[in-house]
Amino acid sequence: MGPDTVSMNAHEGRRLRWLALAGTLVIAPLFFIGGPDWTSGPVHKSVWNLGHILYFALLTFAIQPWRWLSGRQLWLATTTLVLAVGLVIEFLQSGLGRQDDWHDVWRNLVGTWLILACHPVFTPATRLSARQRMRALIAVVLVVFELGLTGSVAVKQFQINQQLPLLYDFSRTDPLTLWRGNLTPSDAHSDINGQSLKISLSTRLYSGVTLDNLPVDWRGYEQLTVTLFNPDETDLPLTLRVNDVEHERGSNVYRDRFNAQLLLEPGLNIFTLALGDIENAPHNRTMNMDNIRRLGIFTTRLPAPRTIYLLDLRLR
């Protein structure tokens, strides 16, 4: 390799380092401002979280700790420092009201390890050992794994949005990945979908379930149908609420969402609600029917625990 080639490689290396440093300066504020909030969908959050890998890969390349350290010391010192920085970032984020995610600490390490493992591969005239090749392969696999997790989230959301007119797929065995509340799959009263959801209601002030992850675009439909079964011999008053993203990013007031009072009589109950009423429910605005965020069913101040079954939930 001639002196001109060495000089060109050195110049290109310095240019890439400066670009990496510029990238870290641009991305750094995004740890504390911007990005998805608590109302954002799973895909948005998952894609955004990949930024941790990118940021710490750029930061590691900009600093290039292998200029001072090598071998085991390089890996141990860099990993320890990145781990400490990641913990501090998560602590500061929680103090600023942002949602902390300790998986982000792992993503920070993956980005750092990717550069530590792969920089010898792209260093001219470097003879790689079997151990270095294995490190590079493992680092790439870790990145691919994180990308695969994001891809699986995207596929899941695509499937959820494609299940319309059903708002929930009752064949699922893991409802708590989409719902909040005390509910379990049940074979009882399962004639409609082969399975129902058993909902256990307590005597707390508000007790019920909330579907947090559902198809968001309700345009093109006219009705919401909710099918419930009451196994007891007495009526049960329920409240059904529906809201869009704008409601959650606003003041969350009662008049800014749809609320319907349902009287659940003994046996099978089918409630049909006009989507026009849901759209016009918020005071001083219309609900964004292509960005529905949440649906809840709950009771208020029950004198004793009750059990009900959700048999079907769909648009028509």
Side-chain angles (χ1 to χ4, degrees):
M1 183 181 297
D4 291 342
T5 302
V6 173
S7 177
M8 288 177 60
N9 288 337
H11 176 74
E12 182 67 14
R14 285 192 297 270
R15 188 176 71 88
L16 291 176
R17 281 188 62 202
W18 281 109
L19 287 175
L21 180 60
T24 62
L25 294 176
V26 170
I27 296 174
L30 300 181
F31 283 111
F32 307 103
I33 59 174
D37 55 25
W38 72 284
T39 67
S40 300
V43 176
H44 185 190
K45 293 178 180 177
S46 186
V47 172
W48 182 268
N49 287 336
L50 291 176
H52 286 262
I53 297 176
L54 174 62
Y55 178 81
F56 278 88
L58 291 174
L59 182 62
T60 304
F61 185 79
I63 296 175
Q64 296 189 357
W66 52 84
R67 292 184 296 162
W68 307 287
L69 301 171
S70 61
R72 184 176 299 178
Q73 287 184 332
L74 170 64
W75 282 84
L76 182 59
T78 306
T79 297
T80 301
L81 181 59
V82 170
L83 179 61
V85 170
L87 292 173
V88 170
I89 289 175
E90 295 305 314
F91 176 77
L92 293 175
Q93 286 181 335
S94 63
L96 293 173
R98 294 171 67 90
Q99 185 177 9
D100 53 345
D101 182 356
W102 299 106
H103 191 173
D104 289 341
V105 177
W106 169 255
R107 296 186 187 99
N108 300 341
L109 292 171
V110 169
T112 297
W113 291 338
L114 177 68
I115 300 303
L116 291 182
C118 291
H119 88 88
V121 177
F122 300 101
T123 300
T126 298
R127 183 179 180 84
L128 298 177
S129 66
R131 179 176 295 181
Q132 287 175 316
R133 294 179 187 275
M134 181 58 66
R135 286 174 180 167
L137 176 61
I138 292 174
V140 171
V141 168
L142 290 176
V143 173
V144 171
F145 178 76
E146 292 295 328
L147 293 173
L149 291 179
T150 297
S152 67
V153 171
V155 169
K156 177 181 175 181
Q157 289 307 118
F158 176 79
Q159 292 172 340
I160 288 174
N161 285 307
Q162 291 300 306
Q163 73 190 17
L164 284 171
L166 281 176
L167 294 181
Y168 175 72
D169 180 4
F170 283 82
S171 67
R172 297 182 65 96
T173 58
D174 54 347
L176 290 179
T177 60
L178 305 179
W179 291 82
R180 278 183 294 128
N182 191 352
L183 77 171
T184 56
S186 173
D187 293 328
H189 316 293
S190 56
D191 295 341
I192 299 177
N193 288 302
Q195 192 169 245
S196 64
L197 287 179
K198 178 182 177 182
I199 301 174
S200 299
L201 303 169
S202 71
T203 57
R204 292 181 303 173
L205 177 59
Y206 299 109
S207 178
V209 295
T210 302
L211 182 56
D212 292 320
N213 195 346
L214 73 171
V216 299
D217 191 350
W218 292 15
R219 295 174 300 177
Y221 296 91
E222 297 180 354
Q223 296 175 330
L224 166 64
T225 301
V226 184
T227 304
L228 295 157
F229 187 89
N230 178 5
D232 296 326
E233 297 180 356
T234 56
D235 295 346
L236 177 65
L238 295 173
T239 299
L240 172 74
R241 64 165 285 180
V242 178
N243 66 264
D244 57 5
V245 169
E246 186 174 342
H247 169 78
E248 298 197 353
R249 289 178 175 160
S251 57
N252 260 288
V253 296
Y254 180 87
R255 298 176 66 192
D256 191 57
R257 62 177 181 256
F258 174 78
N259 302 275
Q261 306 304 313
L262 310 178
L263 184 62
L264 193 60
E265 298 176 348
L268 183 68
N269 294 256
I270 300 176
F271 301 99
T272 301
L273 303 105
L275 292 192
D277 293 340
I278 296 177
E279 183 176 11
N280 295 310
H283 183 62
N284 292 332
R285 71 179 184 92
T286 57
M287 191 172 297
N288 189 349
M289 299 302 287
D290 65 348
N291 205 2
I292 300 298
R293 185 64 183 90
R294 229 174 289 277
L295 181 150
I297 301 171
F298 63 93
T299 59
T300 306
R301 293 191 178 94
L302 282 181
R306 297 283 294 269
T307 297
I308 61 174
Y309 295 84
L310 178 63
L311 280 59
D312 194 41
L313 186 63
R314 70 177 64 226
L315 303 178
R316 298 185 185 277

